[in-house]
Structure formats: C-alpha cells, structure tokens
Amino acid sequence: MNQLIEENVADRTRPMVLLGVFAGLALVLACLGVYGVLAYAVAQRTREIGVRMALGAKPSDVTGMVLRSGLRLGGLVAGAVLAFALSSLLRSLLFGVTAIAPSIYLATAAVLLFVALAACVIPAQRASRVDPMLALRDE
C-alpha cells in the first residue's frame, strides 16, 4: 500500500515543482512591475513633488505620500478572493490541502505586502531627494 501511495504522489511531484517555479517567477515579475509603475509615477510627479517641497513639505512627508500610493490594498484583497475561489483546484491536485487555510493566506499576504513595501522604498527615497528648484525649472 505504501508503494502504491508513493507512486501516486510521485506522478504529481514534477508538475507541482514546475508550478512552484512559475509562481516564483510570477512573484519576481510582479515585483519588477510594481517597481516600474511606482518609479514612472514618481517621475511623472516630479514637478508636483518639487512644488510641495518648495512650499515646505518635509522629505518624510514626500516619502510617506509615495509609500501610501504604492501600498494600496485593492489588489491584495482581489488576489485573496481569487485564491479562495481556486482553492478547490489545489485540493484536487494535492493531498491534505484544505479549502480554507488561513495561515497560508496570511503568510502570502504578508509576503506580498513586504514585497510591495520593498518595491516602494527606492522611488520614495528618490522622490524625497528632489531639489525643488530643479523640479520647477524642468521642462
């Protein structure tokens, strides 16, 4: 019986490894996309950031503004709903996976929030160093 179970599980190991590799690549691409969008948004708002800093905004205020714009939770909520809807597919592919696994959902949400925060830090720091005079003269 143990040999039959091992043979049955071995048939599913390779597709699950591939699924894990592709999920990791998707996470890397999502990180690059978030960084690219935030960097572009900060570059487009250079004049606004320059005006804010010329009127007395502190670098911490500008950093906070950029971080808030990057850490919107709409995508995280939509992803959690979609993951819950597709959990039946995983339950049919893997042994011992339940439909509702709150620890997995919370861990995934925490990882994605950390990645979004890490992707926001560089554009936020760059925005806080904008020289108001150069930003206003630009164009």
Side-chain angles (χ1 to χ4, degrees), residues 33-50:
V34 167
Y35 174 75
V37 167
L38 282 171
Y40 180 74
V42 169
Q44 292 296 314
R45 295 174 68 183
T46 302
R47 288 182 61 92
E48 174 197 346
I49 292 169

Side-chain angles (χ1 to χ4, degrees), residues 58-126:
K58 299 175 198 158
S60 61
D61 296 334
V62 173
T63 302
M65 177 183 68
V66 173
L67 287 176
R68 276 190 301 278
S69 70
L71 293 178
R72 300 258 161 85
L73 297 179
L76 188 62
V77 171
V81 169
L82 187 61
F84 182 72
L86 293 175
S87 64
S88 62
L89 173 67
L90 279 178
R91 189 175 39 198
S92 69
L93 291 175
L94 298 173
F95 177 75
V97 174
T98 61
I100 300 173
S103 60
I104 299 296
Y105 290 133
L106 290 175
T108 304
V111 166
L112 289 176
L113 278 174
F114 178 74
V115 166
L117 180 65
C120 291
V121 167
I122 295 172
Q125 291 296 319
R126 195 173 291 157

